Amino acid sequence: MNKAATHEQVERVVHQIEALNFKAHLSEGETATVIGVIGPNAIEIKDSLVHLDGVAQIIPITKPFKLSGREWHPDDSVYKIGGVEIGGDSIFVIAGPCAVESREQLMSTAEAVKASGAHFLRGGAFKPRTSPYTFQGMGLHGLKLLEEARAATGLPVITEVMAPHDVEAVAASADILQIGARNMQNYNLLFEVGQVHKPVMLKRGLSATIEEWLLAAEYILSRGNYQVILCERGIRTFETMTRNTLDLNAVPVVRELSHLPIVVDPSHGTGSWRWVEAMACAGVAAGAHGLMIEVHPNPAEAYSDGPQSLKFDNFAKLMGSVKKVSEAVGRSLA
Ligand code: PEP
Ligand code: MN
């Protein structure tokens, strides 16, 4: 739309798009209002829109990802979640155990990560474990414990949802819903979280290309949930020294292609607590908006991901290093 386009003119265009049985997605940015026309062969309705008042130009979106791309939304997306800014200049840190194991474990971790400056508490209640014979999470009781930890610390909570039928319950408890790497292409689940009014953090699939990842985000955005955060958590390569290969290339690439905020998870990205701090710092230097770090009171006894979980004192040390790197690259901790 033209810079000077009125609200009525925008409405008129939206109305026309919908009357032609296409979906209209509105992006009101600082520089311009862009109306996305979504549907098969959308460019064919060009002639019915081009003469409407307020329309500046009709641009065919050439990339396969549309709503996650910068053509539709040129400015960075910035959300405020639980008082914390996501996607802006400041860096936010999500920390907590891989899985919620007990009230004591979660409460002590929540207090410790808060004291070190974390902004969000993580903890899985529903765990997507590689083997069905290992701990599968506390389920609904785990969600209640996360709510208790939020009440005690004030930290907003992020937790994974694995099944479409759990989305309602998880959305009622959590401040951010996490879609795990194994579910990145679970399209029914993506559609379901696309319909809730809670932000969604979409982890990159184990062997997903950046394009497949952005197309997965598209499933959520196209259902009207525009609060999507991406998370690079390492991909599978031939390397066996680390659990995954943390693909930090993805950070500048995604920031160029997409307006969505991006988080780096060096815990799953490396698989060993010894390398987490270095790669957390590298993630910030590469341009990530946030970090996700696994922390446990006693990693040796963790039910899941103990080897990559930091003890409280090492998490405090990591936060000190992340602060320094943030400042060195012209950013700051939120
Ligand atoms: C997790 O965050 O604990 C998790 C299961 O991560 P991923 O889906 O990236 O393996
Ligand atoms: Mn984990």
Side-chain angles (χ1 to χ4, degrees):
M1 301 299 288
N2 283 321
K3 269 213 173 94
T6 63
H7 184 66
E8 286 69 36
Q9 290 171 339
V10 171
E11 293 272 277
R12 173 78 186 87
V13 175
V14 169
H15 184 82
Q16 176 82 322
I17 292 166
E18 288 171 352
L20 292 163
N21 286 324
F22 286 83
K23 276 208 170 120
H25 290 259
L26 206 60
S27 159
E28 287 166 300
E30 268 174 34
T31 38
T33 292
V34 182
I35 306 172
V37 185
I38 308 288
N41 305 320
I43 196 63
E44 286 174 10
I45 66 166
K46 182 171 186 269
D47 291 349
S48 351
L49 302 174
V50 73
H51 297 301
L52 296 180
D53 290 340
V55 172
Q57 42 173 336
I58 310 252
I59 310 166
I61 292 187
T62 47
K63 302 255 176 17
F65 33 90
K66 302 186 187 302
L67 299 173
S68 57
R70 285 216 184 255
E71 285 167 301
W72 174 69
H73 194 296
D75 303 323
D76 283 355
S77 277
V78 182
Y79 328 122
K80 209 150 198 169
I81 304 171
V84 186
E85 191 179 274
I86 307 282
D89 275 339
S90 53
I91 311 276
F92 63 94
V93 179
I94 303 165
C98 179
V100 178
E101 299 172 359
S102 69
R103 176 175 286 115
E104 301 66 47
Q105 174 248 16
L106 187 65
M107 289 299 168
S108 63
T109 311
E111 299 287 356
V113 300
K114 178 174 178 159
S116 294
H119 307 91
F120 292 90
L121 176 66
R122 66 151 286 148
F126 298 95
K127 292 305 302 174
R129 302 305 302 284
T130 300
S131 161
Y133 308 119
T134 55
F135 177 62
Q136 303 285 306
M138 292 179 84
L140 296 177
H141 186 52
L143 294 182
K144 291 290 157 232
L145 293 178
L146 286 165
E147 287 181 32
E148 269 185 47
R150 172 177 51 212
T153 59
L155 291 178
V157 157
I158 171 167
T159 195
E160 176 160 355
V161 58
M162 286 173 56
H165 62 256
D166 289 329
V167 168
E168 208 180 312
V170 176
S173 291
D175 300 278
I176 306 177
L177 310 186
Q178 175 172 321
I179 299 293
R182 292 161 189 78
N183 273 319
M184 190 203 83
Q185 287 178 313
N186 182 340
Y187 299 121
N188 290 331
L189 180 61
L190 299 180
F191 271 145
E192 207 61 35
V193 297
Q195 292 174 92
V196 299
H197 298 286
K198 282 285 166 84
V200 175
M201 188 173 87
L202 177 66
K203 297 190 98 176
R204 182 176 180 182
L206 298 134
S207 300
T209 65
I210 293 171
E211 182 168 312
E212 287 163 343
W213 187 19
L214 290 174
L215 285 170
E218 210 69 31
Y219 273 83
I220 305 171
L221 296 160
S222 64
R223 284 285 159 120
N225 188 347
Y226 297 137
Q227 294 198 314
V228 175
I229 303 160
L230 300 167
C231 176
E232 164 60 43
R233 48 76 74 204
I235 49 173
R236 191 161 279 191
T237 67
F238 51 78
E239 182 55 70
T240 55
M241 286 290 179
T242 50
R243 180 178 177 184
N244 289 295
T245 296
L246 186 65
D247 180 18
L248 289 183
N249 287 345
V251 177
V253 172
V254 161
R255 289 204 58 175
E256 187 175 306
L257 296 172
S258 175
H259 53 89
L260 298 173
I262 180 163
V263 165
V264 164
D265 169 357
S267 304
H268 295 85
T270 61
S272 169
W273 69 271
R274 303 197 312 282
W275 306 317
V276 168
E277 182 182 321
M279 297 315 287
C281 291
V284 169
H289 297 97
L291 296 169
M292 177 179 249
I293 310 290
E294 285 187 338
V295 179
H296 195 283
N298 184 1
E301 284 177 14
Y303 295 170
S304 63
D305 289 351
Q308 68 195 34
S309 298
L310 295 183
K311 293 182 184 167
F312 298 163
D313 54 347
N314 283 325
F315 178 68
K317 183 168 163 286
L318 172 145
M319 289 298 281
S321 303
V322 164
K323 183 169 189 289
K324 280 190 213 149
V325 173
S326 305
E327 285 159 8
V329 295
R331 316 275 300 280
S332 61
L333 270 180

